[in-house]
Amino acid sequence: MVEAFSTELDRWSWGEVGEAILGKTSAEVKTALSREGSLGLDDFMALLSPAASPFLEEMAAASRQRTRRRFGNVIQMFAPLYLSNECTNVCDYCGFSLTNRIPRKTLSPTEILQEAEIIKGMGYDHVLLVSGEAQSIVGPAYFRDALSILRPHFSNVSMEVQPLDQAHYEDMIGLGLHAVLVYQETYHRETYARHHTKGRKRNFDYRLATPERLGRAGINKIGLGCLLGLAEWRTDLFFLALHLRFLEKRYWRTRYSVSFPRLRPFEGEGQFPIEEIGDRDLVQAICAFRLLDPELELSLSTRESPRFRDHAARLGITSMSAGSKTNPGGYANGSDALEQFEIDDSRAPAEIERMLHSGGYEAVWKDWDPAYDRANATSNEPATSLLTC
Amino acid sequence: MKDSLVIGGRSFSSRLFAGTGKFSSGETMGACLAASGTELVTVALKRVRLDAEEDAILSHLNEERYQLMPNTSGARTAEEAVLAARLGREALATNWVKVEIHPDPKYLMPDPVETLRACEELAKDDFIVLPYVHADPVLCKRLEEVGVAAVMPLGSPIGSNRGLKAKTFLEIIIEQSALPVVVDAGIGSPSHAAEAMEMGADAVLVNTALAVAKDPVRMGEAFRKAVEAGRTARLAGLGAALGRAEPSSPLTAFLQED
């Protein structure tokens, strides 16, 4: 019987991990920085710790060097496509939360294609489908159809939607789904329970086991992340690394990516104290993950400021979105209404490409080919249910 | 006598093969490849827009100067690699293919089982197949039997710049192979490339060391010179590299003196 990550997680005490991180010394940071070969979780703790703060420049230099050696001088570009803001969850940090009195919108097949056309026009070939969680309106059948509609238009289609069952993932992988991003938000059970008070998302363990279901389904890539600001960030990121290591050992054919979303202002009533994570902290977190895992894809969204993003590209980040709209239909109607969160960097993709170019990086628009998915396709029949209804 | 390398019926005067990924721009890549003197470049099919007129990589590659060798990087199984190779042949109008199957995304270790299966199928389908493999002498012989055009064992893990960590096994492969041996992956500096050529490799394939150098164009030139130096040294007779002593006057000549 394969052990579940929840069993592993429950062996650790949040408080003790937090204390261990705070107890790290500069000597331990130096050891981690000088280590040849792969780093252990103990090294990672040192790099996340306050003791590493004086070594930030050194960490950044090492992170840059390792990133370039593995990924070269390139940044992968992708665009989010919001399918729906329907949501039956109550999450007090999110603009889509059920109790927020906002108009709800789910894209029709025609609208999906309209969005796709604009995104393609910006140069994108990798697209990330996003939605709120409303199983009866935007459930597996809807995603299946959306995937079938979009697959011919993009080289790479990924999803960031509610957790699904393994069988649904297997089905969608057969249709060409490349990656699934599912952020635990926080690995601290009590904090998780406090912020997720209604809906399916309350089920911490079902969400936690999602990457394992994806791994068993044979997905190409799994995206992990914490919503930075909910719980103490150093400890949360340690548990994220623990999760990553657990998955890497078991699902060794899968690639992994980590994102660093910081809480952003949003539409709604929920207000609560945010655990501050400053720019210096975020840089430290990015570099610590890079040093832990040279091959990890690290992603930064338009939540971050232009200035931060300009520099992050040189620090270890390997993929970026640009010109994003975080509301369904946002590309076609050009409005910001109904968005999930406010974006900070509103520069157009072409502008980001120029920024990257001037810093010695090439923006890569295509780095996958549908041929690799087609070989595994379970069915060649196009899904037409949405198109014909 | 002209020292040229023949693979798949094509003759190469440069023994430096190059990759096209990781460069900061298409212009830099083009200039670096020109300085390196390479005549064979590999292109990841997943990076190429097969339907577009202007491709970020292909538009900087002069097809008269370079033999294009599409690679199947991204494939995790033989089936995926075979399908990608066929699409590449159609789109890029070449039957050359570098079979690259690494299901392990962490160290990009090639899968010997899937690689052998894919190569067998592609060779039957008239591809000129160059597989990227571990420095595994038996696997290289098995690949020879299924009809590949050359073998490309690794020096070290891809992108590691660690040099010829697999040297002991590369020597065996070079000794046993009836096909050209191209050392691929791990070559981080011109001295590594020279070492491989001195050992008797027929060519080397370099990407990361060129693409992420501070000055990729000068590094291209440095690799060109290193590969030429290593090859020349090999031809000049590096007896010691074979592990055999060759005294300047014969030790047993006295036996014939009577």
Side-chain angles (χ1 to χ4, degrees), chain B:
Chain B
M1 196 182 87
K2 200 169 166 247
D3 173 41
S4 57
L5 166 65
V6 178
I7 300 178
R10 176 161 175 168
S11 171
F12 297 92
S13 52
S14 166
R15 291 170 178 268
L16 173 60
F17 299 167
T20 53
K22 303 187 176 183
F23 284 92
S24 61
S25 70
E27 292 77 16
T28 306
M29 179 193 76
C32 169
L33 295 179
S36 77
T38 185
E39 294 162 355
L40 186 151
V41 296
T42 180
V43 181
L45 283 165
K46 64 183 175 139
R47 283 284 308 273
V48 179
R49 290 193 180 201
L50 300 172
D51 52 349
E53 286 181 10
E54 182 84 341
D55 182 81
I57 293 176
L58 296 180
S59 58
H60 295 279
L61 297 176
N62 176 347
E63 285 177 38
E64 281 172 28
R65 175 189 270 179
Y66 304 117
Q67 171 65 54
L68 285 186
M69 176 165 67
N71 71 61
T72 63
S73 164
R76 302 188 298 176
T77 64
E79 287 73 23
E80 291 170 12
V82 167
L83 186 53
R86 287 186 177 139
L87 288 172
R89 172 164 69 182
E90 217 166 285
L92 303 179
T94 174
N95 60 343
W96 285 64
V97 64
K98 176 183 174 187
V99 171
E100 203 175 330
I101 304 176
H102 26 73
D104 147 39
K106 201 171 177 70
Y107 292 102
L108 306 175
M109 291 286 122
D111 184 325
V113 180
E114 299 294 319
T115 302
L116 183 63
R117 285 178 52 216
C119 288
E120 183 165 17
E121 187 160 349
L122 290 169
K124 275 186 203 153
D125 196 10
D126 295 329
F127 276 90
I128 294 166
V129 186
L130 287 84
Y132 165 62
V133 288
H134 279 283
D136 178 337
V138 173
L139 177 62
C140 288
K141 293 309 282 181
R142 293 285 307 266
L143 286 161
E144 204 174 299
E145 288 167 2
V146 301
V148 302
V151 288
M152 304 212 289
L154 54 75
S156 294
I158 291 188
S160 70
N161 289 355
R162 286 197 200 157
L164 307 181
K165 293 289 183 208
K167 188 172 179 182
T168 306
F169 305 102
L170 289 171
E171 283 172 343
I172 299 172
I173 292 169
I174 290 167
E175 183 192 330
Q176 293 183 334
S177 184
L179 297 172
V181 177
V182 183
V183 176
D184 182 1
I187 293 179
S189 65
S191 58
H192 296 152
E195 188 187 358
M197 297 309 295
E198 285 176 11
M199 270 170 59
D202 295 282
V204 295
L205 195 152
V206 183
N207 186 5
T208 308
L210 292 171
V212 307
K214 206 170 268 172
D215 183 342
V217 181
R218 286 187 93 167
M219 193 56 87
E221 185 192 341
F223 267 98
R224 175 173 61 76
K225 290 175 175 167
V227 169
E228 284 171 5
R231 177 65 186 171
T232 307
R234 174 75 185 180
L235 295 176
L238 272 167
L242 298 171
R244 284 189 222 120
E246 287 179 24
S248 49
S249 55
L251 297 173
T252 54
F254 73 96
L255 296 172
Q256 280 119 48
E257 274 170 19
D258 291 341

Side-chain angles (χ1 to χ4, degrees), chain A residues 200-275:
Chain A
R200 284 164 48 102
K201 196 168 175 178
R202 276 195 313 174
N203 191 338
F204 180 93
D205 286 296
Y206 182 71
R207 191 173 189 86
L208 189 70
T210 309
E212 289 156 78
R213 294 195 298 278
L214 284 162
R216 287 195 294 272
I219 193 94
N220 267 295
K221 186 167 84 178
I222 299 174
L224 304 173
C226 290
L227 186 52
L228 300 169
L230 289 182
E232 198 280 306
W233 66 271
R234 298 178 208 268
T235 313
D236 234 352
L237 291 180
F238 169 81
F239 282 106
L240 174 58
L242 185 73
H243 199 180
L244 174 68
R245 277 282 190 263
F246 177 95
L247 294 166
E248 280 177 338
K249 286 213 171 86
R250 283 155 188 84
Y251 308 105
W252 60 275
R253 286 187 173 85
T254 297
R255 277 183 298 139
Y256 296 89
S257 70
V258 165
S259 303
F260 299 92
R262 283 196 282 191
L263 269 178
R264 293 279 310 154
F266 57 92
E267 191 95 11
E269 295 158 358
Q271 292 300 326
F272 53 86
I274 288 176
E275 295 276 345

Side-chain angles (χ1 to χ4, degrees), chain A residues 38 96 258 298:
Chain A
S38 67
F96 289 176
V258 165
L298 299 178

